Amino acid sequence: MCELTSFAFATAVCISALLAFTTVKKYRTRAGLTTCILSLRPINEKAEQMKAEQMKSALANVNELPDAIRGCKYPAKQHNLKVKEHLLSKENTLSEQTTALFITGEKLENNKYCDTTREFRQNRYFYYLSGVDIPGCSLLFNFKTNALTLFLPNIEWDDVLWSGMPLSLEEAFEKFDVDEIVYCNEIEEKLKHDCFGFRIFTTDLDNVCPKLKDYLIAGDDSFFYAMDEARIIKDSYEIAIIRKATEITDVCHLAVMSALPIEINEIHIEAEFAYHATRQGARSLGYDPICCSGPACGTLHYIKNSEDLDKKASVLIDAGAEWRNYTSDVTRCFPISGKFTKEHREIYEAVLDVQSEVMKRIKAGVHWEDLHILSHKVLIKHLLELGIFKREYSEEEIFERKASCGFYPHGLGHLMGLDVHDVGGRPNYEDKNVYFQYLRMRRELQENMVITNEPGCYFNKYLIAEYLHKYPEREEVVDFNVVEKYMYVGGVRIEDDILVTKDGHENLTKITSDPKEIEKIVTDAISKGRAAFHVLA
């Protein structure tokens, strides 16, 4: 897919409509993505059919599946076999003849003091091993026979009266990649009969029936190691899902940039993103979105999303759609006026260059720590050119003093998949080296890992106090008079989702990060005014 722009969306819908109708009127949807509404007489019946087909194709089909997974089951069996392989390799005292894993998924949880339930989020380890998003299920994988058994919740007939029949055993068997499906009331008998004398590993005992706990080994480090190692390398099915999630996210970010006339508060940015995610079939976001403006763009995990945009120059939105339990994670920045200010553009281009230099080197076999260090060195070069670092100090000296951490304290990126900060990265938050303390990925890149590339540069008084003022050798190299000129920007982060390949990488994120194209998207939207958007409040 090419980089997304509002022009591309408009062209795709309008050309065929012009062929079929004598007169066309252009309207704006609530997010500013152009759709053609045909207002006068159709030329003939065929043109009417063409119009219907075109209008249908212009809207998101939430039931459409990527070609790579159409007609396929989630590869649960293969995932269990990967865990088995890693566990037996890690613990050579185990025998596949007497080993199994058992894991229980999440249940619906009630909200306190009322009859509503919390939003359901399936246990990610359980989903990885089952592909099942139904509350109250359990799973057993027998290493001896390689048999995978799914236990569905017992049918509660009172619930049937209100909610209808749940998925039947036959329907579940057609849907899920398992060898056997029975109800949960048969778990104990299954453990006794099929796994007598076995070592049965599980994650924890949180949702486990008390009478089953004596059969299970909970919280074993080697078991978690095996599951994490299995999850770091994505198979083709997982990659297809993540690719779909990023495609949805591309549209959402474009929608946000295209809707400035109806965005007067940060919560409007969040609403625009979430609305377009839902319209495309992503019922959840992968994490709480960060939607900030002005100086708040310097707050790394900003959670308020409630400040007005008025009299501010910059927006930073870090948000990703989740599709079929796999997430995306993308950050974009843009100017509220439609034109970057001098300082905002300088920092934006510095961060974009950092990301680009890292991107050139992403491939299997490269150590992520090396790329993280590279990102600091490239940023130091730019901040030195801007006068933020005093020019009497060399790039090497500034690097040795670790002064760049006052403007870029977080890691270059992280693994991504079922969780936004996916398992297996081997971080070390106790590391005494400040460069690596918050780096979530501490290992060599491997083919079919999915990672984020997300350098940033921030102007935040708390970061400055913590990472610069407490260290005279760092403070000494910074010109704080120049820093003050950039404080209103807050910060810039550019984040893309990357599939590692044998000889390079694929950037799954297609929404543009080019500052000129971003300016065009925003200015085109502003030129339309609020009246062009379908919004009631």
Side-chain angles (χ1 to χ4, degrees):
M1 185 195 298
C2 334
E3 290 184 331
L4 299 171
T5 63
S6 55
F7 175 78
F9 274 86
T11 304
V13 179
C14 291
I15 289 178
S16 62
L18 284 168
L19 294 175
F21 288 84
T22 56
T23 304
V24 174
K25 288 186 178 179
K26 291 183 179 179
Y27 291 86
R28 302 288 287 183
T29 67
R30 68 186 300 278
L33 309 183
T34 307
T35 303
C36 293
I37 307 295
L38 303 131
S39 61
L40 295 183
R41 295 183 305 274
I43 295 172
N44 53 40
E45 186 176 346
K46 184 175 181 181
E48 182 69 23
Q49 293 173 349
M50 290 174 63
K51 167 196 166 184
E53 288 301 311
Q54 185 59 49
M55 293 304 297
K56 184 166 67 173
S57 66
L59 300 177
N61 179 355
V62 298
N63 294 316
E64 185 177 11
L65 297 177
D67 291 340
I69 66 171
R70 189 177 292 117
C72 302
K73 295 179 180 181
Y74 183 89
K77 189 71 171 288
Q78 187 61 39
H79 290 178
N80 281 268
L81 290 169
K82 285 173 67 177
V83 172
K84 171 185 173 179
E85 179 184 355
H86 284 294
L87 182 57
L88 295 179
S89 297
K90 179 73 170 175
E91 292 291 340
N92 55 22
T93 59
L94 292 175
S95 167
E96 68 176 350
Q97 300 300 311
T98 56
T99 305
L101 68 82
F102 175 85
I103 186 168
T104 295
E106 295 300 313
K107 298 179 179 179
L108 283 177
E109 294 185 30
N110 290 325
N111 289 308
K112 276 189 174 183
Y113 312 124
C114 69
D115 58 359
T116 61
T117 58
R118 297 178 183 177
E119 182 178 356
F120 177 72
R121 185 181 191 273
Q122 185 60 282
N123 178 306
R124 284 335 196 212
Y125 287 118
F126 179 83
Y127 189 84
Y128 179 75
L129 296 171
S130 69
V132 176
D133 211 20
I134 301 170
C137 294
S138 295
L139 192 78
L140 174 67
F141 181 62
N142 187 322
F143 285 19
K144 179 180 179 180
T145 62
N146 288 334
L148 186 59
T149 302
L150 172 64
F151 301 94
L152 291 180
N154 302 325
I155 295 176
E156 299 290 343
W157 293 104
D158 285 346
D159 290 340
V160 170
L161 293 175
W162 301 101
S163 304
M165 282 292 292
L167 197 70
S168 70
L169 298 181
E170 293 76 14
E171 290 168 330
F173 196 77
E174 289 297 315
K175 184 173 183 179
F176 302 121
D177 180 29
V178 296
D179 298 299
E180 182 183 18
I181 304 178
V182 294
Y183 289 110
C184 283
N185 58 9
E186 298 185 38
I187 293 176
E188 186 174 17
E189 183 60 29
K190 197 74 175 171
L191 295 181
K192 285 180 179 178
H193 183 268
D194 292 359
C195 300
F196 178 78
F198 276 42
R199 301 188 70 187
I200 307 174
F201 293 90
T202 192
T203 49
D204 55 58
L205 303 174
D206 288 353
N207 293 316
V208 175
C209 177
K211 65 182 180 180
L212 301 177
K213 293 182 179 181
D214 290 340
Y215 294 96
L216 306 175
I217 301 169
D220 182 81
D221 289 341
S222 294
F223 181 49
F224 274 102
Y225 166 85
M227 290 191 296
D228 291 352
E229 288 297 299
R231 280 174 58 176
I232 64 169
I233 306 299
K234 272 56 179 181
D235 54 45
S236 59
Y237 194 103
E238 293 176 290
I239 291 169
I241 297 176
I242 295 171
R243 193 186 302 278
K244 175 70 172 180
T246 60
E247 289 172 358
I248 292 171
T249 295
D250 286 337
V251 174
C252 295
H253 276 281
L254 176 60
V256 168
M257 292 183 197
S258 302
L260 257 293
I262 57 171
E263 294 170 346
I264 63 173
N265 187 281
E266 293 162 353
I267 196 67
H268 291 153
I269 293 173
E270 179 179 343
E272 201 69 33
F273 190 97
Y275 168 79
H276 279 86
T278 304
R279 278 194 61 88
Q280 296 175 84
R283 291 184 174 272
S284 301
L285 302 185
Y287 52 97
D288 291 335
I290 299 167
C291 305
C292 43
S293 58
C297 296
T299 302
L300 304 185
H301 283 175
Y302 183 77
I303 58 173
K304 291 174 65 177
N305 294 2
S306 61
E307 297 295 316
D308 289 339
L309 306 185
D310 188 38
K311 298 178 182 172
K312 296 173 184 173
S314 54
V315 163
L316 183 155
I317 171 172
D318 183 337
E322 178 182 292
W323 192 71
R324 296 199 168 197
N325 289 311
Y326 285 78
T327 190
S328 54
D329 183 7
V330 175
T331 304
R332 286 296 182 266
C333 301
F334 57 90
I336 293 174
S337 69
K339 293 292 182 181
F340 284 95
T341 64
K342 175 179 177 293
E343 293 81 10
H344 194 190
R345 181 66 173 262
E346 288 171 344
I347 300 304
Y348 188 92
E349 291 187 342
V351 174
L352 186 60
D353 187 48
V354 174
Q355 193 201 43
S356 298
E357 289 301 313
V358 168
M359 204 78 82
K360 294 174 186 176
R361 295 162 175 83
I362 295 178
K363 65 178 181 178
V366 172
H367 286 274
W368 192 243
E369 291 99 323
D370 293 341
L371 296 185
H372 176 68
I373 289 300
L374 172 67
S375 71
H376 272 274
K377 291 182 175 180
V378 178
L379 183 62
I380 287 169
K381 179 191 73 172
H382 283 283
L383 297 187
L384 195 55
E385 291 171 352
L386 293 174
I388 290 170
F389 289 132
K390 295 175 182 177
R391 293 188 173 92
E392 59 262 36
Y393 296 94
S394 68
E395 293 177 27
E396 293 76 14
E397 189 169 8
I398 294 168
F399 175 77
E400 289 301 322
R401 296 189 186 200
K402 302 179 174 64
S404 54
C405 293
F407 304 98
Y408 171 31
H410 62 76
L412 173 64
H414 50 79
L415 290 167
M416 190 190 77
L418 282 166
D419 287 308
V420 64
H421 299 147
D422 215 7
V423 296
R426 300 179 184 170
N428 178 12
Y429 301 121
E430 304 303 317
D431 199 318
K432 300 301 181 184
N433 188 334
V434 68
Y435 278 131
F436 299 117
Q437 193 171 20
Y438 295 109
L439 184 60
R440 291 187 171 96
M441 173 71 172
R442 301 292 299 272
R443 59 190 300 166
E444 184 179 289
L445 296 178
Q446 299 179 57
E447 186 177 1
N448 290 338
M449 281 182 171
V450 178
I451 59 169
T452 64
N453 179 5
E454 52 171 311
C457 182
Y458 311 90
F459 299 88
N460 178 316
K461 63 182 181 180
Y462 301 108
L463 296 179
I464 290 171
E466 181 66 25
Y467 289 98
L468 298 177
H469 290 330
K470 288 185 177 181
Y471 301 89
E473 73 278 11
R474 299 177 193 171
E475 188 178 48
E476 185 179 26
V477 305
V478 177
D479 189 331
F480 289 98
N481 290 325
V482 177
V483 169
E484 188 61 34
K485 298 177 183 179
Y486 294 88
M487 294 299 291
Y488 76 93
V489 173
V492 168
R493 180 168 62 256
I494 304 172
E495 179 180 18
D496 290 347
D497 301 335
I498 312 299
L499 172 65
V500 180
T501 63
K502 180 180 179 181
D503 300 315
H505 66 274
E506 179 188 350
N507 189 345
L508 301 176
T509 303
K510 308 303 181 185
I511 177 66
T512 185
S513 57
D514 182 281
K516 291 181 180 179
E517 293 183 4
I518 287 173
E519 285 184 334
K520 185 177 188 310
I521 292 169
V522 177
T523 54
D524 284 352
I526 291 173
S527 70
K528 301 295 181 181
R530 177 182 169 175
F533 293 81
H534 173 63
V535 62
L536 302 181

